[in-house]
Amino acid sequence: NAGVTQTPKFRILKIGQSMTLQCTQDMNHNYMYWYRQDPGMGLKLIYYSVGAGITDKGEVPNGYNVSRSTTEDFPLRLELAAPSQTSVYFCASSYADRDYGYTFGSGTRLTVV
Amino acid sequence: GQQLNQSPQSMFIQEGEDVSMNCTSSSIFNTWLWYKQDPGEGPVLLIALYKAGELTSNGRLTAQFGITRKDSFLNISASIPSDVGIYFCAGPATYTGNQFYFGTGTSLTVIP
């Protein structure tokens, strides 16, 4: 059982470049999330989705976009990369009852230079 | 957004010692979760708490839901090298969509 799979694991981008971070889950979870993790700052929610075709902004959405065309996939798009987007990005998914917590992917470490 | 404050920020302990850490919030929570993040991996759920005063164990880990509902505590007994990692608390956000706020993390180093 793969759980939540993120690709790539590492990436270096130049300022102004764009890229898509991929996330897929095989647990049939309706809810999916993108978080970023900066040193000493915990995890901040970027975007989330409560089901296919439905997405909404989290705490720190600026500079990012998402789509949710299927239950399994929730890609995160960076259009014009900036140094402030250097971070570790985690995708997560959960059942509708959030008391069960999230299942996280292993993360994408992104550096913008 | 909501800030969950964890303390201590980091700990260096000898193998076999017990560990205590806590998490505080300015808001009341109905659920507290504790996660562990191994180096280079995503966080993994350790313990979930659903009621004020609740004490729940998972092996050598014990977590408590504070009576005030604004804090939670995690204890690790007889630490071992594989306990190394970052421990996060999490509490539910008040806006919709199942989101959680995460604490700033406690980094644990166990010295063999």
Side-chain angles (χ1 to χ4, degrees), chain A residues 33 37 45 95-96 99 102, chain B residues 35 37 50 88 98-100:
Chain A
Y33 319 82
Q37 182 180 31
L45 182 65
Y95 291 110
D99 284 351
Y102 298 166
Chain B
Y35 286 85
Q37 184 179 23
Y50 304 116
F88 290 101
N98 244 31
Q99 302 90 44
F100 281 88

Side-chain angles (χ1 to χ4, degrees), chain B residues 61-93:
Chain B
L61 278 63
T62 301
Q64 184 164 23
F65 195 138
I67 292 293
T68 67
R69 293 165 63 192
K70 291 186 176 182
D71 54 12
S72 182
F73 310 90
L74 178 69
N75 296 309
I76 305 172
S77 62
S79 59
I80 60 178
S82 62
D83 290 333
V84 164
I86 303 176
Y87 291 79
F88 290 101
C89 61

Side-chain angles (χ1 to χ4, degrees), chain B residues 21-91:
Chain B
M21 61 187 78
N22 67 72
C23 184
T24 60
S25 165
S26 57
S27 301
I28 290 173
F29 284 154
N30 293 321
T31 301
W32 282 98
L33 304 180
W34 283 93
Y35 286 85
K36 183 196 176 197
Q37 184 179 23
D38 289 330
E41 298 295 329
V44 173
L45 183 67
L46 296 173
I47 293 177
L49 301 161
Y50 304 116
K51 198 166 63 174
E54 179 182 353
L55 196 68
T56 298
S57 293
N58 178 3
R60 293 177 296 104
L61 278 63
T62 301
Q64 184 164 23
F65 195 138
I67 292 293
T68 67
R69 293 165 63 192
K70 291 186 176 182
D71 54 12
S72 182
F73 310 90
L74 178 69
N75 296 309
I76 305 172
S77 62
S79 59
I80 60 178
S82 62
D83 290 333
V84 164
I86 303 176
Y87 291 79
F88 290 101
C89 61

Side-chain angles (χ1 to χ4, degrees), chain A residues 12 58 91:
Chain A
I12 299 174
C91 178

